Amino acid sequence: QIIKICYRGDQGLNTARELCEKLYSNFISYKIGPYDYEEVISSLVEVQPKVFLDVFLSNDEVMRRISQIICEKHDILSYIDEPVIKEWLEYDFEKRGPLFASIIRPYKFNSDSKEMQWQPFARWLFENYSNPVIILDSFKKKFFPTSWSGSYAETISKYVPLITSLKDHSNILISEWSVKEIVVFEEYIRNCREEELSREQERNERFE
């Protein structure tokens, strides 16, 4: 609550920047962990979103730990109004677009269709970037979880609708990406299923 009161508005810009820079420095030097100071981070993102983005997305590549903080624990799209994010992005869209794409979760589950669908902001991002393939390739990396339960093939297959939904897109670069990635992704899933089946057969044979 102190941060939300004292760091708000123009009078809080400098102190918010100092705190963000201190947090950033401690994160990249491993002095604090990605899940420390959760309320502080959330409050900073809420009251000084542009300062937070300037500091934490200032490098050409977002470090894994910084991405983990923002994306996995703090859904940045729920803290910052879209017009604010768009204004920050458009200041240097060519550089900031891919950086921002790397830290957001671009999809959500549609309870009606029972399928994954693109977040509206993620769609805006790849539809307005000069080379949408760069953004889409970044988003595609989110389709491969590092932890899961059950079949890995089944887990990643739920992302197929995201790719197929773009095959008839009016932007030829986007539609071509979709057509190509459908083939690549489905083949990868097929190989995963074969490997899972092979491992299952090996386990069964050991117990016979």
Side-chain angles (χ1 to χ4, degrees):
Q1 291 298 327
I2 294 176
I3 289 177
K4 290 183 179 181
I5 296 172
C6 299
Y7 286 63
R8 188 179 297 276
D10 292 342
Q11 69 274 13
L13 283 173
N14 291 334
T15 50
R17 183 173 294 277
E18 289 175 4
L19 181 54
C20 282
E21 289 175 346
K22 186 174 183 179
L23 284 169
Y24 181 87
S25 176
N26 285 326
F27 278 128
I28 63 176
S29 62
Y30 297 93
K31 292 180 180 178
I32 58 177
Y35 304 125
D36 296 333
Y37 300 97
E38 291 184 25
E39 291 186 7
V40 173
I41 293 171
S42 299
S43 297
L44 282 169
V45 172
E46 184 177 342
V47 300
Q48 292 292 354
K50 290 183 181 178
V51 171
F52 185 87
L53 292 170
D54 281 344
V55 173
F56 279 81
L57 296 184
S58 60
N59 295 331
D60 290 336
E61 294 184 7
V62 181
M63 293 181 62
R64 169 59 184 162
R65 284 166 59 81
I66 303 302
S67 174
Q68 186 179 39
I69 298 160
I70 300 174
C71 183
E72 296 180 8
K73 290 298 291 182
H74 305 278
D75 182 3
I76 200 168
L77 292 177
S78 68
Y79 286 97
I80 309 177
D81 292 336
E82 286 191 12
V84 175
I85 299 175
K86 288 179 179 179
E87 182 181 351
W88 181 83
L89 286 171
E90 289 170 348
Y91 181 81
D92 189 359
F93 200 20
E94 287 302 302
K95 177 182 178 181
R96 292 178 173 181
L99 285 172
F100 197 78
S102 71
I103 65 161
I104 65 170
R105 187 176 293 109
Y107 50 78
K108 62 181 179 180
F109 182 73
N110 187 314
S111 57
D112 294 327
S113 65
K114 307 299 182 184
E115 290 184 343
M116 289 292 186
Q117 66 179 34
W118 293 106
Q119 292 270 21
F121 191 87
R123 181 177 283 273
W124 175 87
L125 196 54
F126 66 68
E127 287 182 339
N128 287 276
Y129 194 68
S130 60
N131 186 352
V133 172
I134 292 176
I135 304 298
L136 288 167
D137 281 343
S138 178
F139 286 160
K140 189 182 71 172
K141 294 176 182 178
K142 312 289 176 64
F143 301 168
F144 304 94
T146 55
S147 62
W148 68 93
S149 60
S151 166
Y152 182 70
E154 289 302 315
T155 298
I156 63 175
S157 65
K158 66 184 180 182
Y159 299 105
V160 171
L162 293 170
I163 302 174
T164 58
S165 68
L166 301 176
K167 66 181 184 347
D168 296 320
H169 199 280
S170 58
N171 185 322
I172 188 64
L173 292 175
I174 295 175
S175 62
E176 286 181 347
W177 178 88
S178 173
V179 171
K180 182 192 72 172
E181 291 300 331
I182 288 171
V183 175
V184 173
F185 202 62
E186 289 185 340
E187 182 178 358
Y188 180 76
I189 293 172
R190 189 162 48 250
N191 290 337
C192 287
R193 285 199 175 103
E194 291 175 356
E195 290 178 5
E196 289 173 351
L197 179 59
S198 176
R199 287 196 296 269
E200 182 66 23
Q201 289 175 339
E202 289 178 3
R203 282 195 294 269
N204 291 338
E205 289 173 359
R206 285 200 298 268
F207 288 101
E208 287 180 357

